Amino acid sequence: MKNYVYRDLSSKKYTKNEFFKYVEKKVLKTVRNYDLIKKNEKIVVGLSGGKDSAVTLYLINKLFSSRISDISALAVDEGIKDYRDKTLLDAKKLCKDLNIPLKIFTYKKEIGVKIDKIAHLGNPCAWCGVFRRYLLNKTARLIKADKLATGHNLDDEAQSIIMNQFKGNVAFSAKLGPMTGALAHEKFVPRIKPLYFLTEKEVLIYSKLRGLNVNYVECPNSAGTFRDKVCEMLNSMENEYPGTKQGIVNGFLEILPKLKEMYKGQKIGSCKDCGEPAVKNKCRKCEMVDKLRLKKLL
Amino acid sequence: MQIRVLIERENKSKDINIDKSVDIKKLLESLKINPVTVIVAVNDEIVLEDYRLKNKDNVEILSVVSGG
């Protein structure tokens, strides 16, 4: 009797090898249809040591190493005790196994503070997200990467679309999609999401079956956040109405070109403090740094 | 029949007595776990919801949601 490991939305069952082909075909199709990786490009992967970014690194290396000129990994240590220190061990091991160079940057050194020290201010994910995007973009640019690949999957994207919709942040949604960014700027490294059409469950199964030695724990700061609530709601809907997340993302992709067009005219300049891209005269990272200075946390 | 269940998210394992005809779908229902949020391995092999549990099966319920 065959051992099946996955059943898709049409109830088709997959054995382990069939599932590998299914996942890899989906990633190849995403990269090809959205032109995410061009020939001879230098790709850097934002690696946390969790399953999503580990699978991204593994698959780019497996499927595109003959097409690209170089692959490396960047990791950010936010300073979250008993979480990031553990996942970074896995990140180091994975890079060693795949023979891919890894650079690690810390909030402590680059921003001046660990997330653990400011978590009491509330909504640590907001601080963390802004600092991470700043640091990944800056470091990817410094190593002259053409693209920064992240481990965002279908679940992440469906959550972001719904979160922006609930909060009325249409402009934020214009930055979503398999290749991010509504606005072009010489200091922006385009971010790509090769796992865009894979559900989080598919990514987990793939990482387990490939034996990727990664940490499967959740960030201790994510419980009870707005994203966490939307995630729960979507999982409940998905259980009752299979295909909900796929429907949200497919519907969104139909209107995304219009959204990008709408926000194309917005001017983007440079932050007067750090020189990084900014819509206002200061970037969000520097605004947050100012707040931390006022609170004497920096 | 008795099986051992490890729920990864709660980091605890327990022995459960079940009827002969129980499959993974029914087990998750009885534990009030949404099947969308987990994958299930029995004796170290990933299985589907229609897998019928056997005596002394070692079941791991692994959480899909994690930082990545």
Side-chain angles (χ1 to χ4, degrees), chain A residues 3 13 48 51 53 201 218 235, chain B residues 9 34-35 38 50 66 68:
Chain A
N3 185 22
K13 292 178 179 179
S48 67
K51 66 180 188 313
S53 57
K201 192 169 190 162
E218 201 176 349
N235 281 335
Chain B
R9 192 158 202 174
N34 177 351
V38 293
D50 55 6
S66 65

Side-chain angles (χ1 to χ4, degrees), chain A residues 13 41 100 129 138 241 254 271 273 295:
Chain A
K13 292 178 179 179
E41 278 191 331
I100 291 172
K138 187 179 154 187
Y241 306 101
E254 278 192 41
C271 172
D273 284 2
K295 291 176 189 293

Side-chain angles (χ1 to χ4, degrees), chain A residues 90-184:
Chain A
D90 295 332
K92 285 177 194 168
K93 180 160 188 321
L94 180 68
C95 286
K96 197 178 169 197
D97 290 348
L98 297 175
N99 199 22
I100 291 172
L102 167 70
K103 281 197 169 77
I104 300 176
F105 297 88
T106 68
Y107 281 3
K108 177 75 183 151
K109 191 177 172 204
E110 305 292 332
I111 308 286
V113 69
K114 292 180 177 181
I115 282 296
D116 278 351
K117 208 181 159 190
I118 59 173
H120 67 279
L121 298 174
N123 200 3
C125 301
W127 301 88
C128 202
V130 169
F131 293 159
R132 189 186 305 108
R133 278 190 294 276
Y134 155 78
L135 209 48
L136 283 176
N137 184 67
K138 187 179 154 187
T139 50
R141 191 181 69 241
L142 290 177
I143 63 167
K144 296 186 172 28
D146 295 297
K147 301 275 170 60
L148 168 64
T150 63
H152 289 92
N153 56 50
L154 187 90
D155 290 51
D156 298 322
E157 190 78 351
Q159 289 158 19
S160 297
I161 294 163
I162 294 298
M163 285 164 71
N164 290 340
Q165 201 64 27
F166 280 6
K167 293 204 166 185
N169 290 332
V170 184
F172 285 7
S173 285
K175 296 175 189 169
L176 298 174
M179 174 123 66
T180 60
L183 308 166

Side-chain angles (χ1 to χ4, degrees), chain B residues 4 12-14 16 18 28 30 34 41 46 49 51 54:
Chain B
R4 170 153 288 194
K12 65 178 181 190
S13 66
K14 52 189 171 188
I16 298 179
I18 55 162
L28 293 177
S30 71
N34 177 351
I46 294 172
E49 285 177 45
Y51 175 90
K54 295 190 280 291

Side-chain angles (χ1 to χ4, degrees), chain A residues 43 47 83 89 122 129 181 196 238-239 256 267 295:
Chain A
I43 307 293
L47 184 69
Y83 171 64
L89 289 177
Y196 194 83
E238 185 73 35
N239 190 31
L256 184 59
K267 287 262 185 252
K295 291 176 189 293

